[in-house]
Amino acid sequence: MPAHPLEPRRTPPGGRALKTVERILEATALLLDEVGFDALTTNAIAERAGVNVASLYKYFPNKYAVLTGLAERMRDEQLALIRRPTEPGAWREELATLLDVFLDLFVSRPGFATLASVLSSSAPLREIDEASLAAEARALSERLAEYGVEGSRADREAIARVALEAARGVLPLARRAGPARRKRLMRELRRMLEAYLAGHIEG
Amino acid sequence: MPAHPLEPRRTPPGGRALKTVERILEATALLLDEVGFDALTTNAIAERAGVNVASLYKYFPNKYAVLTGLAERMRDEQLALIRRPTEPGAWREELATLLDVFLDLFVSRPGFATLASVLSSSAPLREIDEASLAAEARALSERLAEYGVEGSRADREAIARVALEAARGVLPLARRAGPARRKRLMRELRRMLEAYLAGHIEG
Amino acid sequence: MPAHPLEPRRTPPGGRALKTVERILEATALLLDEVGFDALTTNAIAERAGVNVASLYKYFPNKYAVLTGLAERMRDEQLALIRRPTEPGAWREELATLLDVFLDLFVSRPGFATLASVLSSSAPLREIDEASLAAEARALSERLAEYGVEGSRADREAIARVALEAARGVLPLARRAGPARRKRLMRELRRMLEAYLAGHIEG
Amino acid sequence: MPAHPLEPRRTPPGGRALKTVERILEATALLLDEVGFDALTTNAIAERAGVNVASLYKYFPNKYAVLTGLAERMRDEQLALIRRPTEPGAWREELATLLDVFLDLFVSRPGFATLASVLSSSAPLREIDEASLAAEARALSERLAEYGVEGSRADREAIARVALEAARGVLPLARRAGPARRKRLMRELRRMLEAYLAGHIEG
DNA sequence: CATGAATGAGAATTCATTCAT
DNA sequence: CATGAATGAATTCTCATTCAT
């Protein structure tokens, strides 16, 4: 049994409890961006969410479970984007679109950009971090397979993972940048991924 | 005046004190990898370093300053690697070499891999993080200029930064991976950067 | 924003919390007399009060705020005594009575005697000290006005302040003295103030 | 044996050691006014005095001994002023002069005003405080005897002590006040003491 | 002897977490 | 069930004091 059980305490029965969980996660996300990881406290989260700390602990067994909840949400949204089907053949267009929606995700969803680095700098969260990234890489590698990328499963997953890591590095940066710099960064990111994937898809 | 002044309290003139500072930074690096950012305490650092906590605070005004010290060291080592000159023309070879030595840095220098994500997840450290990355991007962009990459200064820095972020994402991953996976990941990283830079250098 | 905000963290609405605040202040007063200012620690206060240190910090932002709370209480009690109306004309009797009740206050209220000197020897508390004394002097000067003391407002306040300071110096001394010495000291204090005020009221 | 031996560690042999002690005491006085009692640290004193902490501990066994040293100096200077003989008969003039020189002492000698309250708010120093005040009261009571004040020794000492306490209360206040207010306060202090002593000397 | 450096012990303050109502 | 209130256990940071050179 791990020191920090990360599973939510009980599936919120729906209705008003769900709204409570929602507000806790949202407050967590906002605070993460505002004050960073190490100033994030459960008391602050509860206050910001407008709920009592004891309520927070009713739905999450501990602090890390809250972050885990947020991480799962982030992972699910990213998975959904990756899996969203598109017309085959137009991989360059799809890549461009995917980068756009990912940027949108990182920009419009507070906390996501910060959460990504939090997950890999905190020991209790590393596991979920790696699992999430592996899942995303797997999903992406399946798309690569559709596009005819060859090699072993592991090869394709490595390709996917490398592409993902590149995006995960640049997106938070683009988020913080002004419009001109953001455009430049996104353009270069797209170029890099295009050049890279072209070798695998077309080569 | 910021809440957390990050400057070291005084440059140790070079006798016993230097050794103390050295051991503090080393202990910090080790602990960062072992327990992660949020379990990192100044007491633990001091204990691990075999010095008294008060000594730690004699040389660093607070916890963040210790991490800053480590970050500066990391930045300087990376800058040195980036700037190391090489015979012109062989950019592919140089890239491969650079990735090798960077991997070596991330693998052999404890704390570096973790520190990278710590820096962007902690508000008091974001500034130094961005400054360090900007400096590295600038150094790298100068190398790109030598290789004939065209475009504005800002363009070249964006290119450099995107390449850097990709590497910074994959290297910690490669560090944690077993030999086979590490090889795959590094190969793909190299392919990606080669394909990308080829477009800028040769195109 | 000052280094040591002195305002209580929130007015306890009046249930259990009020009792906690009460006990903290009482413990502070007792310890102040017993161990003095520089041995006064928040941990000792909490322990003596039978509450957790964290509770102390829930109601007071820092150590100085606790002392400020006590100082305000002291000021209010002194103000109440000064303002307590009496039959006009009998100023000597009123003075004697006032000195008696002040002595009683200093003797029976632990901490008050010590607190007085603490307030002026600690930089973060000097402000509240001066403000309290000014308020008391103002209140006393209003009584002097009722008794026909002439001169400007500032003059009367100076008279009041000088009288107050004399009392504030002698009272802690009388408190510590045995019965005989106490009697002598109080008699002389009364004589001094009578002689002084006679000149202003009757002259 | 008391927890805090207050005697200086050895009489400074004269010459350069004396200068060191001198500088320590001066630094202590300055800091006392600037930062107050509770922010006064031996390290800060040493730094301000331009000597090494270890040197401070060579001449003073502990922190309280430094304050004691300052207190003794203060007491001696006050005693000298009180004892300074003058032509008999002119007690009002002498009182006025004495108040003037005392004010000068409190104004020009940093730390003295603050030290007075420090001494009575710190348990380890209370003894020396009371002893000093008793000595001053005794000296003053001898002057009162010269002027024909009657009553027992204890009576005269009570008179002297009450007068002293009044002065000790007002002087720090006058020190902090602007010129106009200072003048008013000193005038009233003089009036009070005159009226009081007139009753004992002339009545 | 004076200093750079160190340190044991503790002090202020915080935080994750729980309980009583 | 939600909340006001409490708390055990750290955590950051400081300080009086000492030692080695």
Side-chain angles (χ1 to χ4, degrees):
Chain A
M1 72 208 89
H4 295 286
L6 301 177
E7 291 307 307
R9 209 153 240 179
R10 64 187 78 193
T11 315
R16 83 203 53 183
L18 195 135
K19 199 147 280 177
T20 298
V21 166
E22 213 56 49
R23 284 164 67 184
I24 289 170
L25 290 179
E26 191 188 338
T28 304
L30 291 169
L31 283 171
L32 218 40
D33 273 341
E34 286 171 26
V35 304
F37 180 34
D38 50 339
L40 186 75
T41 75
T42 50
N43 285 291
I45 292 173
E47 193 179 356
R48 180 69 161 257
V51 309
N52 190 283
V53 213
S55 294
L56 185 154
Y57 279 91
K58 179 154 236 131
Y59 296 107
F60 299 95
N62 56 56
K63 186 188 175 182
Y64 297 104
V66 181
L67 289 168
T68 300
L70 205 58
E72 287 171 349
R73 191 156 298 205
M74 180 167 76
R75 177 203 59 199
D76 290 344
E77 297 200 39
Q78 295 187 348
L79 279 178
L81 294 182
I82 292 171
R83 289 183 181 138
R84 186 155 53 185
T86 184
E87 321 84 72
W91 72 267
R92 279 169 211 270
E93 281 69 34
E94 189 176 355
L95 171 64
T97 307
L98 196 54
L99 286 178
D100 278 352
V101 292
F102 258 87
L103 176 61
D104 190 53
L105 188 68
F106 270 67
V107 167
S108 67
R109 298 298 235 136
F112 273 22
T114 307
L115 185 56
S117 44
V118 166
L119 292 176
S120 53
S121 63
S122 165
L125 297 173
R126 266 178 204 159
E127 215 165 319
I128 181 115
D129 183 40
E130 184 49 34
S132 296
L133 285 168
E136 292 174 35
R138 225 171 303 123
L140 187 53
S141 78
E142 281 165 21
R143 305 301 313 273
L144 294 179
E146 294 173 20
Y147 280 109
V149 172
E150 309 206 330
S152 70
R153 207 173 187 291
D155 279 338
R156 268 201 307 275
E157 280 186 27
I159 296 169
R161 185 67 187 267
V162 164
L164 261 180
E165 292 293 343
R168 271 165 45 94
V170 176
L171 286 170
L173 192 55
R175 169 189 153 90
R176 289 195 298 272
R181 188 158 183 249
R182 178 184 292 181
K183 202 169 172 183
R184 247 196 300 264
L185 287 166
M186 291 307 293
R187 186 191 64 209
E188 294 303 325
L189 175 59
R190 183 170 43 76
R191 279 193 190 164
M192 181 166 72
L193 293 175
E194 260 187 17
Y196 176 45
L197 296 177
H200 280 299
I201 294 177
E202 298 169 352
Chain B
M1 65 209 91
H4 295 287
L6 301 177
E7 292 306 307
R9 218 150 226 180
R10 65 188 77 195
T11 316
R16 265 141 289 190
L18 197 129
K19 199 151 280 178
T20 299
V21 166
E22 214 57 49
R23 284 162 68 184
I24 290 170
L25 290 179
E26 191 187 338
T28 304
L30 290 170
L31 283 172
L32 215 41
D33 274 340
E34 287 171 26
V35 304
F37 179 36
D38 50 339
L40 185 75
T41 75
T42 48
N43 281 305
I45 294 173
E47 193 178 357
R48 180 69 161 260
V51 308
N52 189 284
V53 213
S55 292
L56 185 156
Y57 279 93
K58 177 139 195 236
Y59 298 107
F60 300 96
N62 55 57
K63 186 187 173 180
Y64 299 103
V66 181
L67 289 169
T68 299
L70 207 56
E72 286 171 349
R73 192 156 298 206
M74 179 168 76
R75 176 204 60 200
D76 290 344
E77 297 201 37
Q78 296 187 349
L79 278 178
L81 294 182
I82 291 171
R83 289 184 180 136
R84 185 156 52 185
T86 185
E87 322 84 71
W91 73 266
R92 281 169 211 270
E93 280 69 34
E94 189 177 353
L95 172 65
T97 307
L98 196 56
L99 286 177
D100 278 352
V101 292
F102 258 86
L103 176 62
D104 189 54
L105 188 68
F106 271 67
V107 166
S108 67
R109 297 298 236 140
F112 274 23
T114 307
L115 185 56
S117 44
V118 166
L119 292 177
S120 53
S121 64
S122 166
L125 297 172
R126 268 178 204 158
E127 215 165 318
I128 182 109
D129 184 38
E130 183 49 34
S132 296
L133 285 167
E136 293 173 34
R138 226 172 303 123
L140 186 53
S141 77
E142 281 164 22
R143 306 302 310 273
L144 294 179
E146 296 172 19
Y147 280 109
V149 171
E150 310 207 328
S152 71
R153 207 174 188 290
D155 279 337
R156 267 200 308 274
E157 280 186 26
I159 297 169
R161 185 67 186 267
V162 163
L164 262 180
E165 292 292 342
R168 272 166 45 93
V170 176
L171 286 170
L173 192 55
R175 171 189 153 90
R176 287 195 298 273
R181 188 158 182 248
R182 177 184 293 181
K183 201 170 176 184
R184 247 197 299 267
L185 286 167
M186 291 306 292
R187 186 192 63 209
E188 293 304 323
L189 175 59
R190 181 171 44 73
R191 278 194 190 164
M192 181 168 72
L193 293 175
E194 260 188 339
Y196 177 45
L197 295 178
H200 281 298
I201 294 177
E202 298 168 352
Chain C
M1 65 211 90
H4 294 288
L6 302 177
E7 292 306 308
R9 217 150 228 182
R10 65 187 78 196
T11 316
R16 267 141 290 191
L18 197 130
K19 199 150 282 175
T20 299
V21 167
E22 213 58 46
R23 284 162 69 184
I24 290 170
L25 290 179
E26 192 187 335
T28 305
L30 290 170
L31 283 171
L32 216 41
D33 274 340
E34 286 171 26
V35 305
F37 180 35
D38 50 339
L40 185 76
T41 75
T42 49
N43 282 300
I45 292 173
E47 193 177 357
R48 180 69 161 259
V51 308
N52 190 284
V53 214
S55 292
L56 186 155
Y57 280 92
K58 177 139 195 236
Y59 297 107
F60 300 95
N62 56 56
K63 186 187 174 181
Y64 299 103
V66 181
L67 289 169
T68 300
L70 206 57
E72 286 171 350
R73 193 156 295 207
M74 179 168 77
R75 177 203 59 198
D76 289 344
E77 297 201 38
Q78 295 187 347
L79 278 178
L81 294 181
I82 291 172
R83 286 181 181 140
R84 186 154 53 185
T86 184
E87 322 83 73
W91 73 268
R92 280 170 211 269
E93 280 69 35
E94 190 177 352
L95 172 64
T97 306
L98 196 55
L99 287 177
D100 278 351
V101 292
F102 259 87
L103 176 62
D104 189 53
L105 188 68
F106 271 67
V107 167
S108 67
R109 298 298 236 139
F112 274 23
T114 308
L115 184 56
S117 44
V118 166
L119 292 177
S120 53
S121 64
S122 166
L125 297 173
R126 267 178 204 158
E127 215 166 318
I128 181 110
D129 183 39
E130 183 50 33
S132 296
L133 285 168
E136 293 173 34
R138 226 171 304 123
L140 186 53
S141 78
E142 280 164 23
R143 306 303 311 273
L144 294 179
E146 294 172 21
Y147 281 110
V149 172
E150 309 206 329
S152 72
R153 207 172 186 291
D155 280 337
R156 266 200 308 275
E157 280 186 28
I159 296 168
R161 185 68 187 267
V162 163
L164 262 180
E165 291 291 344
R168 272 167 45 95
V170 176
L171 286 171
L173 194 55
R175 170 189 153 91
R176 289 195 298 273
R181 190 160 180 246
R182 178 184 292 182
K183 201 169 174 185
R184 248 196 299 266
L185 287 166
M186 292 306 292
R187 186 190 64 209
E188 293 305 322
L189 174 60
R190 182 170 43 74
R191 277 194 190 164
M192 180 167 72
L193 293 175
E194 260 187 26
Y196 176 46
L197 295 178
H200 280 299
I201 294 178
E202 297 169 352
Chain D
M1 71 207 87
H4 295 287
L6 301 177
E7 291 308 306
R9 210 152 237 180
R10 65 185 78 191
T11 315
R16 84 201 53 182
L18 195 135
K19 199 149 278 178
T20 298
V21 166
E22 211 58 46
R23 284 164 68 184
I24 289 171
L25 290 179
E26 191 188 337
T28 304
L30 290 170
L31 283 172
L32 218 38
D33 272 341
E34 285 170 28
V35 304
F37 179 35
D38 48 340
L40 185 76
T41 76
T42 50
N43 285 291
I45 292 173
E47 192 180 355
R48 180 69 161 260
V51 308
N52 190 284
V53 212
S55 295
L56 185 155
Y57 279 90
K58 180 155 234 123
Y59 296 108
F60 298 96
N62 57 55
K63 186 188 176 184
Y64 297 104
V66 181
L67 289 168
T68 300
L70 204 58
E72 288 170 349
R73 190 157 298 205
M74 180 169 74
R75 177 202 59 198
D76 290 344
E77 297 201 38
Q78 295 186 347
L79 278 178
L81 294 181
I82 291 171
R83 288 183 181 137
R84 184 156 54 187
T86 183
E87 322 84 72
W91 72 267
R92 279 170 212 270
E93 280 68 34
E94 189 177 355
L95 172 64
T97 306
L98 196 55
L99 287 178
D100 278 352
V101 292
F102 258 87
L103 176 62
D104 189 54
L105 187 69
F106 271 67
V107 166
S108 66
R109 297 299 234 136
F112 274 23
T114 307
L115 184 57
S117 42
V118 166
L119 293 177
S120 52
S121 64
S122 165
L125 297 173
R126 264 177 205 158
E127 216 166 319
I128 181 116
D129 184 39
E130 184 50 33
S132 296
L133 284 168
E136 292 174 35
R138 226 171 303 121
L140 186 54
S141 77
E142 282 164 20
R143 306 301 312 274
L144 294 179
E146 294 173 20
Y147 280 109
V149 171
E150 311 206 330
S152 71
R153 207 174 187 290
D155 278 338
R156 268 199 309 273
E157 281 186 26
I159 295 169
R161 185 68 187 268
V162 163
L164 263 179
E165 291 293 342
R168 272 167 43 96
V170 176
L171 286 170
L173 192 55
R175 171 189 153 90
R176 289 194 299 272
R181 187 158 183 247
R182 177 184 291 181
K183 201 170 174 183
R184 247 197 299 266
L185 287 166
M186 291 307 291
R187 186 190 64 208
E188 294 304 324
L189 175 60
R190 183 172 42 75
R191 277 194 192 163
M192 181 167 73
L193 293 176
E194 259 186 15
Y196 176 45
L197 295 178
H200 280 298
I201 294 177
E202 297 169 351

